[in-house]
Amino acid sequence: MRKLLATAALAASMTTSAFASTIEGTGASFPYPVYKAWISSYYNATGNKVNYSPTGSGTGIKEISARHVDFGGSDKPLKPSVLHKSGLYMFPTVVGAITFSYNVPGVNNLKLSEKSISGIVMGKITYWDDASLKHDNAGVNLPHKKILFVHRSDKSGTTFNFTYYLSKMNKTWNKKFGAKKAINWPMENRVAGKGNFGVSTAIKTNAYSIGYVDYADAKKNGLEMATVQGQGGKFYAPTKANFIAAAGHASLDPKKDFYSIIAYPKSAYPMVAATFILLPNDSKKNKEVADFFDYSYKHGDKAAADLGYVPLPESVKEKIRGYWSAKGVK
């Protein structure tokens, strides 16, 4: 009897293995924590494998355009004309937030006005006890230490969305630098990290540092996150409620391949972004990729919310399913 059960178990295992699939993706590191959770859940439920490497949005766009992977991840949305030229489809997965994370011993509730943020990123504010920072943080003992700015070393969708926000917030920044996946940062005292995890690690290991990093990585690494001033003058803490309110400003239209940049919404937390998946229009693996994300839409909202992302509303998920059908993806 025992031998019979063992044989049946082996046969079942071989059957699962015979139908299991593997899909490969690469790109944005901003959504990597939630993709990692979704991939684990999907494998446990179906036996299908998804491999995703958080190499940055620039690499994600490059690799899917070259058809080296089954799907690409990008925090920078591509315009419909660019998608058409490259033979790509695009749809969103979640909305997330970028934080100003910092490491200043003894300082736990840092506030940053738009004036202070502009001064730091333009290299005009170089010490933590600058008058503008002291004005934002009355009663806080800010040290006379040089500010170490931490930024991305790779072409990054997080950098794109952060500099898009800066471009909307500061006319001088917009004129000199604009919104890009990589920036030649103007301050002297700076260090680069690869991926959001690289920036988080650099902040964590360097006292008196500050940098832009996604909420999930900042939370995972126990980083302090600043309360920041938004459009209209009000200050917003990096909280789930504030992210949800900001995400409500997203306009995700399948007729435009869901192209949307949310950063610097009116009267809301200013540094928010949707993240996207790019699919080739000529791949036999598209249905398998869509199966994975459809499973994640149905079962992954709690994991996304627990990590600090804002799940897409059901109305947008239905639009994505309709988009897949229209494109022959699923």
Side-chain angles (χ1 to χ4, degrees):
M1 183 65 179
R2 181 177 295 175
K3 184 177 179 180
L4 183 62
L5 289 173
T7 302
L10 177 61
S13 172
M14 291 177 66
T15 301
T16 300
S17 176
F19 288 98
S21 66
T22 300
I23 52 176
E24 305 282 346
T26 192
S29 66
F30 179 80
Y32 179 62
V34 69
Y35 287 177
K36 188 177 178 182
W38 286 354
I39 287 168
S40 176
S41 173
Y42 188 59
Y43 177 74
N44 290 335
T46 67
N48 296 326
K49 292 182 179 178
V50 180
N51 296 322
Y52 184 80
S53 302
T55 52
S57 296
T59 300
I61 295 169
K62 181 180 177 182
E63 291 298 290
I64 192 62
S65 297
R67 288 5 186 206
H68 290 164
V69 288
D70 300 314
F71 69 94
S74 178
D75 305 326
K76 180 187 178 184
L78 301 184
K79 293 180 179 177
S81 60
V82 177
L83 291 168
H84 181 72
K85 188 176 179 181
S86 302
L88 297 173
Y89 302 138
M90 183 174 75
F91 58 89
T93 52
V94 290
V95 173
I98 301 167
T99 69
F100 247 126
S101 295
Y102 64 95
N103 178 354
V104 182
V107 177
N108 305 115
N109 297 298
L110 186 72
K111 290 176 68 177
L112 293 174
S113 63
E114 291 188 345
K115 180 182 178 182
S116 293
I117 292 170
S118 297
I120 291 170
V121 298
M122 298 287 286
K124 305 294 184 184
I125 293 178
T126 56
Y127 283 88
W128 279 105
D129 60 349
D130 182 273
S132 181
L133 290 171
K134 290 174 72 173
H135 180 268
D136 295 343
N137 299 277
V140 178
N141 185 25
L142 292 168
H144 185 64
K145 295 286 186 179
K146 270 195 169 183
I147 295 172
L148 175 65
F149 187 75
V150 186
H151 58 89
R152 293 283 289 271
S153 62
D154 50 328
K155 287 186 177 180
S156 156
T158 305
T159 300
F160 171 79
N161 282 289
F162 180 63
T163 55
Y164 179 89
Y165 147 71
L166 294 176
S167 297
K168 289 291 184 181
M169 186 265 280
N170 186 297
K171 291 181 180 177
T172 303
W173 177 276
N174 187 39
K175 187 176 180 180
K176 285 190 172 183
F177 302 100
K180 299 175 182 174
K181 294 195 294 293
I183 289 286
N184 185 19
W185 294 95
M187 68 288 292
E188 293 181 358
N189 197 33
R190 59 188 171 87
V191 64
K194 187 172 183 179
N196 276 287
F197 40 85
V199 173
S200 296
T201 301
I203 294 170
K204 193 173 184 178
T205 55
N206 286 282
Y208 310 110
S209 62
I210 188 168
Y212 58 96
V213 61
D214 75 285
Y215 176 82
D217 272 293
K219 183 181 177 185
K220 181 180 178 183
N221 284 281
L223 300 179
E224 296 286 347
M225 293 175 262
T227 292
V228 294
Q229 190 176 31
Q231 190 179 163
K234 185 179 176 181
F235 283 81
Y236 297 90
T239 65
K240 182 179 177 180
N242 283 337
F243 300 159
I244 291 172
H249 292 265
S251 175
L252 297 165
D253 185 351
K255 293 179 180 177
K256 299 177 181 177
D257 296 288
F258 300 99
Y259 180 85
S260 179
I261 304 174
I262 315 171
Y264 207 48
K266 190 176 181 180
S267 302
Y269 185 84
M271 296 180 286
V272 288
T275 188
F276 300 86
I277 292 300
L278 300 169
L279 282 183
N281 63 5
D282 52 3
S283 172
K284 294 179 181 177
K285 290 261 189 170
N286 279 350
K287 183 180 182 305
E288 293 172 39
V289 176
D291 283 344
F292 164 61
F293 284 105
D294 199 26
Y295 176 89
S296 300
Y297 291 149
K298 291 174 181 172
H299 304 282
D301 282 1
K302 184 178 185 305
D306 288 347
L307 288 165
Y309 298 92
V310 180
L312 298 178
E314 288 302 322
S315 58
V316 174
K317 293 175 183 175
E318 280 304 309
K319 289 179 181 178
I320 293 169
R321 292 178 182 116
Y323 178 82
W324 288 339
S325 296
K327 302 297 184 185
V329 170
K330 187 177 179 183

